[in-house]
Amino acid sequence: MEIYLVRHTETVCPKGVCYGQSDVGIIESYGEAFQGIVKQLPQEALLYSSPLQRCKILAKYILENTKTESIIEDARLMEMNFGDWELQKWSDIPKEILDTWMNNFVTVAVPNGESFQDLHLRMNDFWKNIVQKTHSKPIIIVAHSGIIRSVLCSINNIPLQDAFKEVIDYGAVVKILI
């Protein structure tokens, strides 16, 4: 089975802003990037997307430019919930609080948010219930870097604390064969 993990394109948030599950838009000059993404995808597939607009806009473009029949939105594909840090500049988060989280982001939850392990459990639930079923078509998943990194940790047996060693650029397409 072919699975394509697609990261949304660049958001409108300034660099250095934590936006996690905030429903921010994407930079509007995405036409060329979207075309490049679609060229890497199969024409027919099951299409899943995070419900956040930065993914839904891309998923809609994929739907309109392939023979894919529908978009299945799934909240388990949302980026990590950064709670109190949503839409804050990373530099404005008190250093002692940020350092505590950075030293163990896997199990320490962001205040009023979640840990990376929480995200990983959500992703694994999605993976188990959706992806591991037998499908006759490839699967395209439009999501966020945290979700993609979580998937890669699972299938490659990488410890979660090493998830961010993998660079997942905006608009990246990662093809997996299972």
Side-chain angles (χ1 to χ4, degrees):
M1 175 189 328
E2 292 180 354
I3 300 171
Y4 296 81
L5 305 172
V6 182
R7 184 179 181 197
H8 60 80
T9 55
E10 191 170 357
T11 72
V12 296
C13 284
K15 301 269 188 257
V17 171
C18 174
Y19 53 86
Q21 288 189 3
S22 296
D23 200 11
V24 299
I26 54 174
I27 294 176
E28 292 209 15
S29 58
Y30 51 74
E32 191 173 312
F34 279 16
Q35 290 170 11
I37 291 167
V38 168
K39 287 179 183 175
Q40 299 175 65
L41 301 174
Q43 279 296 299
E44 292 187 61
L46 296 173
L47 177 58
Y48 291 90
S49 178
S50 160
L52 297 177
Q53 68 173 315
R54 58 189 185 264
C55 292
K56 287 185 351 182
I57 293 168
L58 174 54
K60 185 177 180 205
Y61 184 91
I62 293 168
L63 178 71
E64 293 170 350
N65 290 278
T66 65
K67 296 176 184 172
T68 300
E69 296 176 7
S70 65
I71 301 168
I72 304 162
E73 291 182 26
D74 196 309
R76 295 173 292 183
L77 295 174
M78 291 173 67
E79 184 57 281
M80 190 166 138
N81 180 349
F82 281 98
D84 294 348
W85 300 352
E86 293 280 337
L87 299 178
Q88 301 288 322
K89 290 182 181 177
W90 287 101
S91 60
D92 289 346
I93 299 167
K95 184 175 176 11
E96 63 279 357
I97 295 171
L98 182 61
D99 286 350
T100 298
W101 177 75
M102 294 283 281
N103 289 332
N104 194 0
F105 68 91
V106 173
T107 59
V108 174
V110 172
N112 295 308
E114 63 185 345
S115 68
F116 192 65
Q117 187 171 43
D118 295 330
L119 175 147
H120 189 67
L121 291 171
R122 271 196 286 119
M123 183 285 302
N124 275 329
D125 187 58
F126 169 83
W127 196 260
K128 181 175 52 181
N129 291 300
I130 304 298
V131 177
Q132 289 185 344
K133 293 179 181 176
T134 302
H135 297 286
S136 59
K137 296 180 183 176
I139 295 174
I140 300 170
I141 300 170
V142 182
H144 311 271
S145 65
I147 292 293
I148 295 170
R149 287 181 170 104
S150 175
V151 169
L152 295 175
C153 284
S154 283
I155 64 172
N156 294 318
N157 294 317
I158 297 170
L160 292 180
Q161 64 264 21
D162 294 335
F164 291 86
K165 291 181 178 177
E166 183 74 34
V167 176
I168 308 293
D169 292 326
Y170 290 113
V173 176
V174 179
K175 181 180 178 182
I176 300 170
L177 297 174
I178 296 189

